[in-house]
Amino acid sequence: MRLLIIEDDLEAAAYMVKGLKESGYNVDHVADGKEGLYKVAGEEYDAIIVDRMLPGVDGLTIVTTMRSAGNKTPVLILSALGEVDDRVRGLRAGGDDYLTKPYAFAELLARLESLLRRGKETAPVTKLRVADLEMDLISRKVTRADQTVDLQPKEFALLEYLMRHAGHVVTRTMLLENVWDYAFDPQTNVIDVHISRLRQKIDKGFDKPLLQTVRGVGYSLRDSE
Amino acid sequence: MIPNNLLRSSTFRLGVLYMALFGFSVLLLLGFIYWTTAGFMERQTLATINAEIQGLQERYELLGLAGLIQVINERVNTASSGDSLYLLTNSHFKPLAGNLKEWPEARAINEGWIHFILDKNGHQQITAAAKHFLLRGNFHLLVGRNVSEKERVQSMIIDSLGWGLAITFVLGMVGAVFITKGVQRRLDVINRTCQDIIRGDLTRRIPLSGTGDEFDRLVQNVNDMLDQIERLMRGIREVSDNVAHDLRSPLNRLRGRLETSLMGNPTKEELEQTVMQSIEQTDDLLQTFNALLRIAQAEAGSKRDSQSLFDLGKTGRDLVELYLPLAEEKGLELTSDLEEGAFVLGSRHLLSQALSNLLDNAIKYTPTGGSVFMAVTSTPAGPICRIEDSGPGVPPEFRDKVLERFYRLESSRSAPGSGLGLSLVAAVARQHKAVLTLTDSALGGLAIVLSFPRPPAKSWHPPEPEES
């Protein structure tokens, strides 16, 4: 997996590069918008992480330029501007996801994985499956080991998101944003409570738990074998 | 003569421009008056002379020279005013009949109009306009009129027209100066106040003249703008003060923890432990920091593009749904009475966060076995949102205090939190022009009521097209 990081804060970039390399990615880094634009045009990447405010050419311009040139590489925009309007502007410019500084590295990694997976989705899926847990998106039925699991609408949406990102870490913010459409962090552990309820419904009574807690980061739905 | 600042004034330039336009109009008008008076007189004279020559020529054709001379003599003798001039000469301009002694010096070789001056009765000089006509047999006929009076009237008209124009210009200039001075006086007051404010005195305001004219409206708007700026500046100052006070100490603790962890001979496990704790503490700090920024943003007022008309009841229902499991886990009864169709104009995200803070607080501070209640009702005055609990409540004397940043009641110090939750609610309420009231709840604890203004019907956005 080849990644390009366009980030002018060298220290932040170094720590991002180190973390991503340790996670098994092949990482290129440029510190300047113009150089970033050349790299994007000249080489093939699996995903691009771009800072919004850059010297030379700013991040949003890079994204709009590559999109208008037909480049569909997934882009994660990093920015210190985190208000809803800023996010909307970033996503409208062609970004696929938007992460506000300061961020936890785990959050960056989780979002990046989610982006890389999204690129591979081709045909619209009607059935999701993780181990013996099955979700039929048309009849909205969930079964585990052929036993029906009764879910509330929000629990269904939550499980759907987790199953679509099965095997990957999903952070609390990602859940709030994608399942509840909220762009803020609640003060309490309200997400954890929803997760533990869901866990009760899908894991209780089965010897193989599927819904894992990743300490300090979030959750992951995976086949533990 | 005209001061420099007057010439640079756009009002003055407008005044002068208007004056020029007005002067041109006056000129056109006067020209028309001249054409209809003096011009009319001239045309009248020429027409009469033409008619007379016509008549005399016919007489000549009919009766011959003798008949013509007779007619001319008759006319000379009967002409009452004596303004008519006649002269008939032979081919050598020798007079045959008429009241002119000789052919005037300004003689035309051929037929045509001539103007001349002649001494009448030896002493009075008169101006005459005449037509020279050649009769068959080379007799020269001259028929004219004394036009002295007409010329005098004409020059009088031209004179008065000229004076009229000059007076128009002078009055226009005086008017332009006068109007400019008036406008400039008003603008000078505004400019002076602005200068004072630029120099740093943000408390200055421009005085109103009290007439309610467009200047007063401008001044009112500028003053309102200044109020808003002053409020924002105060907010920024408060935020930086608070950041200094309340972020410095946890940062200091964090630094101390990291520093001491290196002392002695720490084991790998100990170091890991410290790093984990430090990360957690950093996360707390970031959350506090984000909360502060959000409050500042809410206080900075609305950004237009994030404003929309949304259903408060629906927002409330979503939030209750989000918090229901949390309440149940804590053994609380979370009930709601949410009326849909209570629309609020504003930022759904900010308001969701504010209401979520309120639910969060209610659940956090209400002991197990208690109850939390959320209601959204639509009243003629606007939507009202009410969140009540059976918790310990807030004593009346602290109800203003808890809205301040970082303020926490002694009794709540043991619970986690930054003391920013209610500050955000207060800021969001202000941004949405909602009235925030803290009262006693029938449930035994605190009731927080947010009364929103009625959403403006004209900003009714597309979601309900049948209503628009």
Side-chain angles (χ1 to χ4, degrees):
Chain A
M1 285 282 185
R2 285 196 74 196
L3 301 181
L4 175 66
I5 297 171
I6 311 173
E7 161 70 272
D8 60 322
D9 180 342
L10 292 179
E11 203 175 321
Y15 124 92
M16 219 182 329
V17 170
K18 178 172 184 278
L20 288 171
K21 275 191 176 153
E22 266 168 26
S23 310
Y25 293 97
N26 206 336
V27 190
D28 281 358
H29 166 237
V30 293
D32 162 86
K34 223 177 260 174
E35 219 176 308
L37 209 49
Y38 292 139
K39 279 269 194 202
V40 168
E43 289 177 51
E44 285 268 325
Y45 289 101
D46 294 296
I48 294 165
I49 300 171
V50 59
D51 186 34
R52 197 169 155 171
M53 282 180 275
L54 288 168
V57 182
D58 82 302
L60 289 193
T61 313
I62 295 180
V63 180
T64 10
T65 312
M66 61 182 273
R67 289 297 184 242
S68 59
N71 187 334
K72 290 195 177 65
T73 314
V75 172
L76 173 63
I77 299 175
L78 294 180
S79 173
L81 309 169
E83 293 316 324
V84 178
D85 296 340
D86 301 315
R87 288 160 178 266
V88 169
R89 219 164 290 136
L91 296 176
R92 285 215 179 118
D96 297 283
D97 201 355
Y98 199 104
L99 186 58
T100 310
K101 286 179 178 181
Y103 51 86
F105 180 74
E107 179 92 34
L108 175 80
L109 195 61
R111 284 178 187 267
L112 193 64
E113 279 169 357
S114 160
L115 276 189
L116 287 168
R117 266 178 47 81
R118 202 180 300 168
K120 285 188 206 135
E121 268 170 28
T122 43
V125 257
T126 58
K127 264 200 167 87
L128 297 168
R129 171 189 279 274
V130 176
D132 54 354
L133 180 67
E134 259 188 66
M135 173 178 270
D136 188 326
L137 291 171
I138 292 166
S139 65
R140 301 187 69 78
K141 242 200 189 128
V142 179
T143 55
R144 176 147 191 207
D146 296 326
Q147 281 173 263
T148 307
V149 181
D150 260 334
L151 294 179
Q152 303 287 318
K154 271 287 177 255
E155 291 169 339
F156 186 89
L158 180 59
L159 182 61
E160 182 189 339
Y161 188 81
L162 286 165
M163 289 183 85
R164 282 186 188 276
H165 297 85
H168 296 268
V169 177
V170 168
T171 67
R172 289 176 182 82
T173 340
M174 284 163 84
L175 289 174
L176 260 171
E177 274 175 26
N178 292 294
V179 179
W180 279 274
D181 188 28
Y182 289 138
F184 60 86
D185 286 314
Q187 296 175 319
T188 39
N189 55 340
V190 57
I191 295 294
D192 300 341
V193 179
H194 280 270
I195 288 283
S196 79
R197 294 204 146 201
L198 183 63
R199 180 178 280 142
Q200 289 273 316
K201 291 192 175 176
I202 62 168
D203 277 346
K204 202 174 181 189
F206 298 93
D207 36 294
K208 213 170 58 179
L210 297 177
L211 191 44
Q212 325 279 340
T213 302
V214 184
R215 198 174 167 237
V217 185
Y219 303 96
S220 175
L221 189 72
R222 66 179 86 207
D223 193 348
S224 44
E225 271 176 345
Chain B
M1 178 184 88
I2 301 168
N4 201 27
N5 66 345
L6 201 58
L7 283 177
R8 278 191 286 116
S9 150
S10 68
T11 317
F12 183 71
R13 284 204 296 266
L14 265 180
V16 169
L17 182 70
Y18 177 69
M19 196 189 67
L21 276 174
F22 187 68
F24 180 69
S25 317
V26 168
L27 208 62
L28 273 182
L29 187 71
L30 295 183
F32 178 72
I33 291 173
Y34 178 80
W35 188 77
T36 48
T37 52
F40 177 75
M41 282 163 72
E42 177 137 1
R43 284 191 300 279
Q44 192 91 342
T45 311
L46 301 185
T48 321
I49 291 173
N50 267 333
E52 223 165 342
I53 284 178
Q54 186 89 24
L56 290 174
Q57 189 200 1
E58 275 166 17
R59 192 55 65 96
Y60 173 69
E61 298 287 339
L62 210 64
L63 303 171
L65 190 63
L68 179 63
I69 291 172
Q70 194 195 342
V71 172
I72 292 176
N73 284 337
E74 269 171 28
R75 291 212 179 159
V76 167
N77 292 334
T78 57
S80 52
S81 62
D83 274 351
S84 300
L85 306 168
Y86 300 97
L87 184 64
L88 180 68
T89 67
N90 64 10
S91 55
H92 303 295
F93 292 103
K94 189 161 184 321
L96 299 176
N99 52 5
L100 283 181
K101 286 199 283 298
E102 52 176 0
W103 196 267
E105 274 182 28
R107 81 173 49 155
I109 305 301
N110 290 312
E111 303 175 343
W113 288 99
I114 48 176
H115 287 260
F116 55 92
I117 293 168
L118 86 166
D119 291 329
K120 204 180 179 192
N121 310 332
H123 56 274
Q124 197 186 1
Q125 283 217 327
I126 62 167
T127 314
K131 195 175 184 188
H132 173 197
F133 192 76
L134 204 57
L135 292 171
R136 202 162 39 78
N138 263 348
F139 293 104
H140 296 278
L141 176 63
L142 188 76
V143 178
R145 280 284 183 284
N146 175 1
V147 290
S148 304
E149 189 62 20
K150 193 205 71 177
E151 298 250 296
R152 211 167 56 77
V153 170
Q154 231 168 24
S155 76
M156 244 165 67
I157 291 174
I158 288 176
D159 276 3
S160 54
L161 295 192
W163 278 112
L165 202 61
I167 290 170
T168 305
F169 271 104
V170 170
L171 285 182
M173 187 65 89
V174 170
V177 170
F178 189 70
I179 290 172
T180 310
K181 286 275 179 204
V183 172
Q184 231 168 22
R185 216 174 10 253
R186 301 283 301 271
L187 287 176
D188 277 348
V189 175
I190 299 177
N191 278 327
R192 258 199 311 280
T193 316
C194 288
Q195 289 289 341
D196 286 346
I197 291 164
I198 290 167
R199 272 186 224 111
D201 184 6
L202 252 178
T203 56
R204 283 292 305 272
R205 292 296 177 268
I206 306 161
L208 288 167
S209 72
T211 53
D213 60 357
E214 61 268 42
F215 272 106
D216 263 14
R217 287 201 296 277
L218 172 73
V219 165
Q220 189 61 55
N221 281 335
V222 170
N223 282 347
D224 288 351
M225 191 174 77
L226 289 171
D227 286 345
Q228 173 80 350
I229 291 172
E230 200 188 357
R231 218 166 45 70
L232 292 179
M233 294 286 285
R234 208 170 41 232
I236 289 170
R237 212 165 31 241
E238 273 170 24
V239 169
S240 46
D241 287 354
N242 288 329
V243 168
H245 282 133
D246 295 79
L247 286 183
R248 205 171 265 169
S249 33
L251 277 170
N252 206 38
R253 275 204 301 279
L254 178 65
R255 193 183 186 287
R257 183 203 299 275
L258 289 170
E259 214 173 10
T260 47
S261 71
L262 288 176
M263 288 173 187
N265 249 344
T267 63
K268 191 165 179 289
E269 284 73 34
E270 278 169 354
L271 277 179
E272 260 172 21
Q273 178 76 16
T274 313
V275 169
M276 289 300 283
Q277 282 170 347
S278 302
I279 288 176
E280 269 166 33
Q281 211 172 344
T282 319
D283 285 347
D284 286 348
L285 274 169
L286 284 178
Q287 208 160 14
T288 307
F289 190 67
N290 284 339
L292 273 175
L293 286 182
R294 239 168 241 275
I295 294 170
Q297 192 240 338
E299 282 182 343
S302 49
K303 285 188 200 159
R304 278 230 169 264
D305 46 346
S306 66
Q307 286 217 339
S308 63
L309 207 56
F310 61 93
D311 190 339
L312 192 63
K314 214 173 142 295
T315 308
R317 198 189 59 207
D318 290 346
L319 282 168
V320 168
E321 200 179 42
L322 178 68
Y323 276 95
L324 200 55
L326 189 69
E328 280 174 10
E329 182 163 87
K330 220 192 145 186
L332 300 176
E333 193 192 9
L334 172 57
T335 53
S336 59
D337 177 13
L338 305 162
E339 185 183 318
E340 297 213 356
F343 283 92
V344 168
L345 179 68
S347 155
R348 189 182 72 88
H349 281 280
L350 269 180
L351 206 64
S352 299
Q353 174 152 33
L355 296 183
S356 127
N357 282 1
L358 291 179
L359 280 174
D360 229 302
N361 277 352
I363 291 171
K364 190 158 66 183
Y365 295 119
T366 305
T368 305
S371 49
V372 174
F373 173 70
M374 177 174 186
V376 170
T377 42
S378 177
T379 72
I384 291 178
C385 178
R386 228 179 139 80
I387 292 178
E388 303 185 31
D389 62 52
S390 63
V394 174
E397 62 270 30
F398 292 115
R399 281 178 188 162
D400 284 335
K401 279 250 163 209
V402 292
L403 299 179
E404 288 171 13
R405 291 192 187 89
F406 295 110
Y407 186 84
R408 304 193 68 196
L409 289 176
E410 279 310 317
S411 53
S412 69
R413 294 246 177 231
S414 53
S418 55
L420 288 171
L422 279 177
S423 313
L424 179 78
V425 177
V428 171
R430 260 200 303 281
Q431 192 202 339
H432 289 78
K433 298 191 172 59
V435 181
L436 174 68
T437 342
L438 275 65
T439 57
D440 291 321
S441 159
L443 296 175
L446 181 67
I448 295 185
V449 184
L450 275 164
S451 314
F452 292 89
R454 219 147 49 107
K458 61 180 176 186
S459 336
W460 197 262
H461 290 294
E464 308 282 341
E466 71 276 6
E467 301 265 0
S468 59

